[in-house]
Amino acid sequence: MTELLFRDDAYATGFDAVVTGAAPGRVVLDRTLFYPEGGGQPGDTGMLMLPDGRELKVADTRKGGQPGEVAHVLADAAADIPAGTRLAGRIDWERRHRLMRMHTCLHLLSAVIVAPVTGGAVGDGYGRLDFDLPESPDQAEVQEKLNALIRGDAPVSFRWITDAELDAQPELVKTLSVQPPRGAGKVRLVQVEGIDLQPCGGTHVRNIGEIGEVLIAKIEKKGKQNRRVRLEFPTA
Ligand SMILES: [Zn+2]
């Protein structure tokens, strides 16, 4: 099992860890701040610093071969780090923060457009949600409502409930294609105060004002009952 340090503090950028398993180009650690791809959010990138001064670039982070394990995918596919090695890790914080801002923003979008979500993805500077909707919502109106919510700067908080409690409140699950992770007996809820509550294992900003201004790039028709809403951050 890899201890998921980003669950306790999504704002931490550096950590120490011990290699527990490795194959060429991959490293498994006892603890990590690197978020593994999942729930529509991409895996983190960054650096692992070895005691001998070498720096290994982490190109991606994935769920490992064993349940609860996180695999750091190295840019150097031949690098092989022995188990037991102590090292320091640092995530690419600028990129991660943009991913956090977009992820929280997609939760807000699911509160602005009241319809079942059938899919979604967080990208670096952009994102999308698919809605089960027969008609396209008004693009300008959605953008205005979303930015008005963001300006309200509501706080984001987390709490855990059991699988049974979640089963008793199926209305919490808005995303039909991305079911919350089960089996661990409990599920994490992400709450945007007064606006949204849903199960999610991703990383989020503390206050939604941090998201900043967002644009609706496009609303596409993707089938009779599907509308894809694409968001992006304005480029400076
Ligand atoms: Zn989420």
Side-chain angles (χ1 to χ4, degrees), residues 52-172:
D52 63 9
R54 271 192 297 159
E55 296 203 336
L56 299 170
K57 193 171 186 293
V58 177
D60 195 5
T61 309
R62 299 291 179 94
K63 289 181 177 133
Q66 302 298 319
E69 227 177 55
V70 173
H72 303 76
V73 181
L74 304 177
D76 177 359
D80 202 354
I81 312 306
T85 304
R86 289 181 175 278
L87 51 72
R90 190 179 64 237
I91 61 167
D92 177 346
W93 168 249
E94 308 239 312
R95 175 177 179 273
R96 155 74 91 69
H97 190 232
R98 286 192 297 271
L99 295 173
M100 284 164 53
R101 287 164 57 217
M102 183 54 73
H103 195 153
T104 310
C105 189
L106 292 182
H107 284 213
L108 299 181
L109 182 65
S110 77
V112 168
I113 299 176
V114 183
V117 175
T118 55
V122 178
D124 184 359
Y126 57 91
R128 65 168 169 85
L129 281 186
D130 291 346
F131 292 92
D132 184 358
L133 271 179
E135 300 292 335
S136 286
D138 182 79
Q139 187 167 335
E141 193 183 313
V142 171
Q143 180 169 305
E144 179 45 44
K145 281 187 181 167
L146 192 53
N147 283 297
L149 282 184
I150 291 167
R151 286 192 295 271
D153 200 23
V156 178
S157 59
F158 306 98
R159 60 191 166 89
W160 293 86
I161 60 169
T162 63
D163 286 355
E165 286 171 309
L166 182 66
D167 289 336
Q169 301 170 78
E171 70 279 6
L172 287 177

